[in-house]
Each structure stands twice: as C-alpha cells, then as structure tokens.
Amino acid sequence: MAYYSCNNEFVEEVLEELNDINNEVDGKKEEVHSFLQTLQWFMKEDGDAILQDTTFDFAGSAYEGTAVSKVTDFDILLILPEPYVADNFVVYERHEPGIYKLKWRDEYDERPNGFVNGKGYLEAKKLREYTINKLKEVVKDVKKDHPHWKIHFKKMLNSLTVYITDFDGDRLKLDIVVQMGEPNWGKLANMTPEEELPSVLESYLENDQYSLFYSLAPHNRFMVKNDYHLLLSTSFSTLEKHCMNESYDVRAAVLLAKLVSQDRGWKKDYGLRSFHFKRVAIKHYEELDGLIIWSGFQRLLKYLAEQLENAEIEGFFINDQDIFNKDGNQCTNLAREIKQAKSDVKPNNMWNLLPSSDSETDSDD
C-alpha cells in the first residue's frame, strides 16, 4: 500500500504542474473568444450567405485540459449552416472506412447553388476553398479595424491559421477548420455500434446537436483519385473532448503519455499525435476510468504498443479504420520505444519530463 501511495504522490505532483499549464492556457481563451466574437460580427456584416450563419465550436488539447505546453494551439471548428448540413445529403462511403461522399437528397428540389455538381454530389474541396478564402478576406478586415491584435494569418491546405497577439504580448495560434455537423451516428457505414461504445458517450450521442463532424479535408493519399475533390473525412474531436472532460483518470493517463511522448520526440520522429493517445484511451475508457493514475498511464502505453506491434493504430469509432499510416518497421520501432519508456519511466523521475518555457508547441495537428 505504501508503494502505491508513494507512486501516487509523485504522479499527483507532476499532474499539478500540468494542471497549472492548462490553467494558463485557459487564461488565454478569453482573448481567443473575444477575437472570434469580433470575427463573427464581421462575417455577418460581410453578408455572405455561408459565412453570416456559421457557428464556432472548440476542440483539441486547449479545450480538453490535455495540454502539456503553455504554447498550445486553439482548434476552432467553423460549422457550416443550412443547406450544408448532413441531413440534407445521402452518405456514400468511398475508398476506405471514414472517407465519404455526400449526395443531395432527391426529394429536395432546390440544390445549393455552386457547390453541388450535376450528379448531385457535394463538391467538398470547392466549398472548403470558397469558405476559407472568404474567411481570409474577413480576417483582413478585422486586422485593419483592430490593429491592437497584431493579426497574421496563413492559408493552409484544409484550414486558415490565424495568429493574434494578446494583451500580455503572447502570440496565440488559432487553427480554423471548416466542418459540417452530422447528428446521426448510426447512418454511417462501418461505425462502431453505439452499444459497444463507452457508456460516457451514450447520452452525448442522444442529446448533443452534432455528435460528430465531417471535415472537408480528405487524406492526402486520396489526392490522386479522380473524385478526391468530393471526399470528406469524419472528425471526432468533439467526442474526444467530451470523454477527456468527463474522467479525470482517463485525462490524467493521456496527459502523462503525452508528456513522455513530448520528451522522447515521438511526434517528430514517428508522427505520433495527441489524437492517437486519445483514441486508444477511449477504446479502453471503461477500464482506465477509476484505475490508479499510474496504473492507467502504464496500461495506456501497453495498449498503444500492442496495437503498433500489429502495424496500426485502429480508429475505434470506425471499424477497420487505420489512423496511423506508417510502414511496419516504423510501427515496430515505435512500439519498442514505447515499451522501453514504460519500463524506464518511474513516478519519481516524471518530474524531469516537465517542459521548459521554450518547449515545442502542443498541437493536435
């Protein structure tokens, strides 16, 4: 008993420091939201039929309490309005699990102008490009009228990244991603049946307006397909946020795993990202929730290594979906490193893994 108590004491001290980091990140949200309120006002004033009725949602480490660095991106979901909502379309799966095309429902007479092709399919790339370009123009207007924010922005492949300087002189990074809401879990092909999901998601799926989203951002490997410009991928960032916010034990296991990953460079060397930890944690949510934190962290590393030994990290929400696309040698090497870390890292030396003030950005990208 004394051994477990000692372990827990060391780990709780580390988690207190990580919670302080997340509290500092929380303190930046007011400025982020102030900027977004201003941006939304300008979008309405712009009068564009799409922009004026969009809404924002929030996801990623900054909104889950899973940041391991004070320099943390803010992931902003720009949710498209009617008629660009999933209920107006029939869903068709394409190429592999989690990649879809949307076709306008035949029973609806008037198709949206400009973004549905002659066969009735939503032109996802065209809609994304239009929305991001319009958003960029509005951000220019905000920049001109609000010079105190020192706004800079950069158009990415699937998003608009906006940098603002807050009242403390800190540079905040907002990744604004265009998405469509999907309220119906069960209608998508290959989805994990609701009864096989952790119980924490049952009421969320029933009561939340949008349970998941389509991101107008198909994976790069589909760029060679002749219909890639029609493809959308599923986004589970709000589900991940819900799960992390509901369990301190699961969130703590993810925080400690991310801390080890950051220290050992797994993101840089292998492309192991925040959502990989979260997806494995959610798959084993019922088990991790309620475990002693150190045990939960060790169990999470164990499950991650086991999946990588099979040359994949499975998506869990979608059957047969592989969300870690590396060759077998990289998977084997990473699995070996994770198992080594599981053996090497002890509760009394985790303190040494805490980031310095100039540590790398904690990003969910």
Side-chain angles (χ1 to χ4, degrees):
M1 278 305 272
Y3 174 74
Y4 282 116
S5 175
C6 187
N7 277 356
N8 224 35
E9 184 177 329
F10 285 127
V11 173
E12 287 291 356
E13 288 178 359
V14 172
L15 286 171
E16 284 180 17
E17 289 296 313
L18 291 172
N19 287 334
D20 286 344
I21 287 173
N22 281 282
N23 288 336
E24 287 208 34
V25 172
D26 281 345
K28 304 299 181 184
K29 290 179 184 174
E30 182 177 350
E31 194 72 12
V32 170
H33 295 167
S34 174
F35 170 78
L36 291 173
Q37 287 175 350
T38 302
L39 179 62
Q40 198 158 36
W41 186 88
F42 273 78
M43 289 193 298
K44 290 184 183 299
E45 287 294 300
D46 180 78
D48 181 81
I50 293 178
L51 285 188
Q52 66 180 352
D53 291 322
T54 56
T55 56
F56 292 117
D57 204 344
F58 311 95
S61 298
Y63 293 93
E64 299 165 346
T66 60
V68 294
S69 170
K70 296 174 185 177
V71 186
T72 298
D73 297 351
F74 293 85
D75 294 339
I76 313 299
L77 312 183
L78 183 72
I79 313 302
L80 295 173
E82 286 276 2
Y84 304 104
V85 296
D87 276 349
N88 291 339
F89 296 85
V90 179
V91 182
Y92 292 92
E93 189 173 40
R94 296 293 294 171
H95 303 299
E96 71 169 51
I99 305 296
Y100 302 96
K101 289 174 28 175
L102 301 183
K103 188 173 185 180
W104 188 252
R105 291 186 178 277
D106 291 337
E107 61 268 31
Y108 298 162
D109 294 331
E110 289 192 29
R111 294 179 179 179
N113 290 329
F115 302 106
V116 173
N117 68 15
K119 294 183 178 180
Y121 288 104
L122 178 70
E123 296 191 84
K125 179 186 176 185
K126 186 176 179 181
L127 178 57
R128 181 187 74 222
E129 288 290 302
Y130 176 86
T131 305
I132 292 176
N133 285 333
K134 288 293 295 184
L135 181 64
K136 185 176 70 172
E137 294 304 312
V138 175
V139 170
K140 286 181 181 178
D141 292 337
V142 177
K143 178 178 180 178
K144 184 168 58 178
D145 280 24
H146 294 267
H148 63 282
W149 266 320
K150 299 178 183 176
I151 298 169
H152 302 275
F153 54 88
K154 179 166 53 174
K155 182 181 174 186
M156 310 299 286
L157 178 62
N158 300 314
S159 64
L160 185 70
T161 296
V162 180
Y163 300 91
I164 61 173
T165 302
D166 70 3
F167 48 81
D168 291 327
D170 293 333
R171 199 184 199 203
L172 309 179
K173 180 183 177 185
L174 285 64
D175 287 321
I176 306 177
V177 183
V178 183
Q179 298 199 341
M180 290 176 60
E182 169 58 85
N184 301 308
W185 180 274
K187 80 175 185 181
L188 300 185
N190 291 319
M191 300 297 287
T192 298
E194 289 188 40
E195 61 270 17
E196 295 180 18
L197 294 172
S199 58
V200 68
L201 289 176
E202 289 179 7
S203 60
Y204 182 87
L205 290 173
E206 291 174 3
N207 300 323
D208 198 75
Q209 179 184 7
Y210 294 130
S211 299
L212 62 148
F213 293 89
Y214 293 110
S215 179
L216 278 66
H219 194 284
N220 286 344
R221 69 177 181 270
F222 295 111
M223 296 297 279
V224 298
K225 302 290 183 181
N226 59 11
D227 63 350
Y228 80 91
H229 60 290
L230 306 177
L231 302 182
L232 306 93
S233 57
T234 39
S235 170
F236 300 103
S237 53
T238 57
L239 272 74
E240 292 167 356
K241 177 179 70 174
H242 177 75
C243 287
M244 294 302 104
N245 287 337
E246 288 295 303
S247 171
Y248 174 78
D249 299 326
V250 177
R251 183 170 70 253
V254 170
L255 267 169
L256 295 178
K258 287 181 63 178
L259 186 61
V260 173
S261 176
Q262 180 171 277
D263 177 71
R264 302 210 169 197
W266 292 340
K267 177 182 176 181
K268 178 182 177 182
D269 294 342
Y270 296 99
L272 189 67
R273 301 184 184 278
S274 179
F275 78 94
H276 293 123
F277 290 108
K278 288 181 282 190
R279 203 66 64 86
V280 175
I282 292 171
K283 179 181 179 182
H284 299 280
Y285 195 94
E286 308 284 13
E287 178 185 352
L288 298 179
D289 184 27
L291 277 180
I292 294 171
I293 290 170
W294 181 253
S295 299
F297 156 70
Q298 290 262 297
R299 203 74 59 88
L300 178 56
L301 291 188
K302 171 181 179 288
Y303 289 136
L304 188 61
E306 287 176 350
Q307 288 207 17
L308 287 165
E309 286 175 330
N310 292 323
E312 66 173 14
I313 298 176
E314 58 180 301
F316 177 56
F317 289 133
I318 301 177
N319 295 322
D320 302 321
Q321 185 189 47
D322 178 2
I323 59 172
F324 190 77
N325 300 293
K326 306 291 180 180
D327 66 43
N329 288 334
Q330 285 183 297
C331 288
T332 301
N333 292 339
L334 178 54
R336 186 184 301 116
E337 287 201 28
I338 290 172
K339 288 195 289 185
Q340 188 64 50
K342 181 176 178 292
S343 174
D344 291 345
V345 177
K346 307 300 181 187
N348 61 344
N349 64 23
M350 286 209 81
W351 187 269
N352 299 325
L353 309 184
L354 289 167
S356 60
S357 59
D358 58 350
S359 61
E360 65 179 289
T361 300
D362 184 5
S363 170
D364 292 288
D365 291 347

